Amino acid sequence: MAQCVQSVQEFIQDSFVPLVAALCSEEAERLTRRNNLSFAELVRPFCRLTSEVHMRDPNNQLHIIKNLKIAVNNIITHPPQPGAIRKLLHDVVSVSQPAEGLVANVITAGDYDLNISDRSVKASVPWYSNWKETLMELNTSTFYSATTPWFESYRECFLQSMPASDHEFLNHYVACMLVVSSSESDPVEQFLKLSQEQHRIQHSSEYSYPKWFIPNTLKYYVLLHDVSTGEEQRADSIYEEMKQRYGTQGCYLLKINSRVSNRGADEQIPDPWSQYLQKNTIQNQDSYEDYTVSNKNTDHLISDGTDSEIKDGLSNYFKTHPLQLDHPSGSLDSTDYMKASTSMQDSKKSNSGTPHGACLTLTDHDRIRQFIQEFTFRGLLPHIEKTIRQLNDQLISRKGLSRSLFFATKKWFSGSKVPEKSINELKNTSGLLYPPEAPELQIRKMADLCFLVQHYELAYSCYHTAKKDFLNDQAMLYAAGALEMAAVSAFLQPGAPRPYPAHYMETAIQTYRDICKNMVLAERCVLLSAEILKSQSKYSEAAALLIRLTSEDSDLRSALLLEQAAHCFINMKSPMVRKFAFHMILAGHRFSKAGQKKHALRCYCQAMQVYKGKGWSLAEDHINFTIGRQSFTLRQLDNAVSAFRHILINDSKQPPAQQGAFLREYLYVYKSATQLSPDGPLPQLPLPYINSSATRVFFGHDRRPAEGEKQAATHVSLDQEYDSESSQQWKELEEQVVSVINKGTIPSNFQPTQFCLNRYSDNSKFPLAVIEEPITVEVSFRNPLKVPLLLTDLSLLWKFQPKDFSAKHDGETKEQGTCDEDMVGTEAIEEFLINSEETKVARLKLFPHQTGELHILGVVYNLGSVQGAVSLDGIDPSIGLQTGKFVSNGLSVRGRQDLEIQGPRLNNTKEEKTSIKYGPDRRLDPIITEEMPLLEVFFINFPTGLLCGEIRKAYVEFVNVSKCPLTALKVVSKHPEFFTFGGNTAVLTPLSPSASENCSAYKTVVTDPTSVRTALLSSASSADFGIGTGGSPEVIQVPLPDAVLLPGASVQLPMWLRGPDEEGVHEINFLFYYESIKKHSKMCHRVLRHTAVICTSRSLHVRATVCRSNALGDEEGRGDNMLLFVDVENINTSETGVKEFHIVQVSSNSKHWKLQKSVNISGDKDTKLASRERAKLCFKAVRCKNLEENYTFADIVFGNEQIISSASPCADFFFQSLSSEFKRTHVQSHAHASQRAVKQSLDETVRLIQRCSEVDLNIVVLWKAYVVEDSKQLILEGQHHVALNTVGKEAFSFPQKQGFKKILGNSDWEDLEQELPETVLLKFFRPENTPVPARPTPEQLSNLIKTSLHYPESFNHSFHQKSLCLVPVTLLLSNCSQAVVDVMIDLRHKPTSSEALEIHGSFTWLGQTQYKLQLKGQEVYSLQLKACFVHTGVYNLGTPRVFAKLVDQVTLFETSQQNSMPALIIINNI
């Protein structure tokens, strides 16, 4: 049980006190009424004696009475009705609430800190997060306890209002005060009348109430004298007469009203009556009808409305005998409580503020106190002592005993005991009545008298004796009463000679309840026994006792007892917290049924402390729902809204029907709350959930869809998923083009363009938006309920501060309102349905009409539910709900939800790493900038599939859809080799097909049949195609007419595309960059993105090698000829429908070399390749004559028309393929410049030797493919590039690894890959110190001097005529380098292998055996030699050894120059 203000001994003593009746004359009552008090009320605060009292027991032993209290009541001749008692008890509990402002009482139980006091409502509801902080200094204590003053008030009122019963005498009057005023004409006569009236009430048969203790009731005569108006002498004389008549012990002169009303108005006299007169002094108890919510306390979410405001320290005690009610008697249940409560509140309000004891001084207070003391000492106690003696003597005489009962009890009951019969064995004789003079009742009467004067030992003996007699007679009502008081007497005996007989009390309770059907007496037993058990720390037994008496006949009693049982569980040595909470819930339910709404709310809130956060969601939902209902009934609307809100935001496990009911309740309560303050700020709504971090913001218009052959640029849309890798690529492209525009540097204020901001993007800077262009905010909603939610009139909430970025002054900040549409237009979604447990995004738009700073705060909407949302017959109601096809149930509330986005956690500095700090996220705070141009791009006839190397012509349309012109249009891509807009000059760019048979994308001319297989020459500068000019090859200028696109204008430009060399799906990113003609401070440029997806399939695979021709002189006598071998294979699979490939032309592009003619053996005019066929082509290449920097293009045509390879698009793609070569050369030149100066001469020598083996020759193979598609034959065309850099080294049309993969096929390539080692040795190097190799390789040195022997293939000689055959041989020496070379020829070399001797035989060189020559750069020298043969045969003339070295070197790099092929001669004999 909860802690009480009184100890258990004090509580029991005050519950059973001697009762004194008061009978006043009308004049005496008038005197007391001057103080707004009756006589009984006047003396009540002074009825407790302040000193000890002595009396003697029947054995003449002195007995001390401490802290005695008497009760003086007006005589009421009608017993109180049960309905009136229920009404009184209801009111007592109702007005007793936790006082506001008290320190919270807290019980610490295990892991719980349970706040059980005035703060309990604030501390226990789940949304009150800081409730532990309200404990304040209590946290330092070791034990906390809770008080329940409403229970104590109920208990006191219950015990006081118990009607007197015949089976006991505790509630019977012992004495009667007869009060007469001294101002009466004949006070003595008045005393006589009152005495006769009292005698008539006690002894007449017409009055059965009140009950009197003994027939000879003590009469005490009190003369009341008004000091302010009466004559003191007359009063004294009357008093003297009274003393002579009634004796000095039987009368008293009481002087009151000493205070003159017009004197000392400011004098403060204490008011001891207020605490006893609860009806007239409770302040500010609002009735339920006119209750309003107070919002003064802004520190807590819940109003303090539940806390009653009890002023002036008043406690909850009703007026003496509170059953004098104006209401007719009858039952009062919780349903008609409202009317009764209202009338009671009205009477309270009319009486509130009435002063008590206004005519009394402190001296008068002392006189009244003295009067009560005199009455008790001289009148009451002697009378009781005398009565006890008389009763004792009567009992002894009747029993025939020689000794007094006091000493005889031990003898009677110490011997063999007769076993008591159980209750079930006893007959139902509760109706048995004893006559008043029965000896059993005399024993009981004596026991009660002893009990009232605290003689508990004698009382126990008497009760024990009476109990035996009653049980023998089977008078169960009397026996139960004796058992009850015997148990209490045993407990109260000083020194505790015997333990508390709890089984007495249990038997009494069972008898009262089951046999006598008297719940009032059973309840009294329970209240007494529970308090006694609690004092002995027997909380478990006390709780069981309290719970046993709960029943359906009284909700209020059951609620109070269940609450006390809950406190028993929490006060146990091992607190049973969950039992506490469960019984608090039961108590709250019974309080609610009893109409005690505030107490019900308090109980549920206290129980919630245990259930919250434990995962018991259904229990939490029930408690919160009840809290919401009770709070709404009490008009605590904020509290109700919070409770219902919590039900909805929890992950509810309720069925859909219940969730729908919760939602409707919430909407109804919320609507009621908002109607109280319609002009207040929009409150926060709990549903639906918003995932703020998933909010995305998109700047700009939605892209136009494709129209026929027109395909709009993909750009950025909210439908695309975020890809960090792709985002980084776009950023690099933009940085690249900005760097080119700004001559190689990126400005410090550069901010990458971000069209769509999300949780992954960099949101640390304020995003830029353009005036008059929409801002789309995508908000992610989630409906946690199993019922659909309907949002209507959904729009964004924003704040805007106008700013003119070209001027200095700023405007005022504007909140969203109806008049602000000229600043920012807001688009609203009329209906937005979120089905059960669905996550759905809403895209809301804003249209800024002014420049400035915009802050998007959140969303505002009406929240409602859908009519008929509960599933019927197992069918999900959300199926088939379409927007615009559903009906709201008419209940919706308007509110808002804020978008609060937490930025990324900072982790850069040490301080940030050791603490938790978050950076800003500014995606919802865009800056609206000045007007900018807006470009839209459309692609016409843009392919989705190409063959590798295929050339296709498409068109691009550029449209300026803004109101200001755009300029500096550029496009940047990581794959510039994929597309071209043509050369810089119109001559090089074919606008339309001219002489093409098949509408070719190339610029073609019809060829002369005589020129087949012979090179047709042309030249072009790389600068014409934007290559090698120092700029970035990835940034391409779009050739706009006049370089400006006016507002509303559009232009179409041709674009040639070439399929990438690798097969597969390719994503090619285009970034279009453009600027405004006006320069703006915030936004310098804009970009437009497009991603082209091209699927390429295999076509041809080209390999080429170049080697030096053995014929050192050409037709013009120049040396340095080379042979070019081209190997073309059709690796296309038949899946693509390609029938065959035709190689129509092979072109070369170089500054130093050109193709001269084809040397193919085959005489076919065209080269056709079916699937998996391979063709080998051979060409002769010669050095160019021109010394310019231009490239020479040589075309060898195999068909009827020549493709001008030096024009667009052939040359464009060729030069773009060279861009990587330019990059490499650029890097190498930087690397060379960084070498140390000491090695400079050495490095140059090495380079000269290396250049001998280098060749700068590029081959373009142009082809046509015949494709059958839908029974139609299409002709596709394309080109492949092969870059030849080194003599004798094979080059491929695409990377070697991929080339092998394509040739071998996937399966073979996978086998080859598996054979490769998985681990590769890591090489660590410092690139800045990497030296050029100090020695050239033998292969490079062998190419320094090229040798060639010229001789007759066969020589006829007559060995008969001349035995020696002399053959002239010419040795041609060609210097392949640009440097001067020293050459030494040694003819003494002999073949060492026996094989060579056997095959070729031996011969001798005649003449000089060693020659030393010096050859200038590129010089060809002819040396005449003679060979001598002695007989016929086949001889190898390739025996001379040639050594070479550079002039400025001594012995370095000297090596032998070997011929690649044997020089065979046949010597014939004739």
Side-chain angles (χ1 to χ4, degrees), residues 738-768:
V738 169
S739 173
V740 169
I741 295 293
N742 291 278
K743 300 177 181 174
T745 59
I746 296 178
S748 58
N749 62 346
F750 168 71
Q751 186 173 337
T753 305
Q754 295 189 100
F755 296 98
C756 185
L757 301 178
N758 52 38
R759 70 175 80 183
Y760 307 109
S761 55
D762 179 10
N763 305 325
S764 58
K765 295 180 180 177
F766 292 101
L768 300 177

Side-chain angles (χ1 to χ4, degrees), residues 238-366:
I238 296 170
Y239 181 54
E240 288 298 325
E241 186 181 348
M242 289 169 61
K243 284 195 288 186
Q244 293 176 5
R245 181 184 289 266
Y246 307 118
T248 56
Q249 309 292 328
C251 58
Y252 193 84
L253 172 62
L254 177 59
K255 299 180 180 179
I256 59 170
N257 296 350
S258 303
R259 186 178 183 186
V260 182
S261 58
N262 60 359
R263 180 178 63 83
D266 297 332
E267 186 181 357
Q268 293 295 323
I269 299 295
D271 182 4
W273 297 275
S274 300
Q275 59 184 318
Y276 296 98
L277 307 177
Q278 189 177 16
K279 266 190 184 177
N280 298 332
T281 54
I282 296 297
Q283 309 281 337
N284 299 328
Q285 285 294 322
D286 301 319
S287 66
Y288 293 152
E289 282 77 11
D290 59 3
Y291 187 87
T292 56
V293 177
S294 169
N295 291 323
K296 294 177 183 176
N297 185 359
T298 57
D299 294 334
H300 306 295
L301 287 173
I302 300 181
S303 166
D304 285 342
T306 53
D307 303 336
S308 62
E309 303 169 9
I310 301 180
K311 309 287 185 180
D312 303 324
L314 310 179
S315 64
N316 306 323
Y317 290 90
F318 269 80
K319 175 179 173 181
T320 308
H321 217 301
L323 303 178
Q324 298 170 319
L325 301 177
D326 297 333
H327 302 294
S329 62
S331 64
L332 181 78
D333 58 15
S334 59
T335 55
D336 59 8
Y337 168 67
M338 293 294 180
K339 296 177 184 176
S341 175
T342 306
S343 63
M344 187 187 78
Q345 301 298 342
D346 293 341
S347 67
K348 285 178 195 173
K349 290 174 183 176
S350 64
N351 293 330
S352 63
T354 305
H356 304 293
C359 298
L360 302 177
T361 62
L362 291 177
T363 306
D364 292 335
H365 290 191
D366 293 338

Side-chain angles (χ1 to χ4, degrees), residues 1436-1454:
N1436 180 12
L1437 298 180
T1439 59
R1441 294 176 67 190
V1442 181
F1443 299 87
K1445 71 177 182 66
L1446 299 180
V1447 172
D1448 50 359
Q1449 302 295 328
V1450 186
T1451 57
L1452 205 57
F1453 311 139
E1454 193 162 3

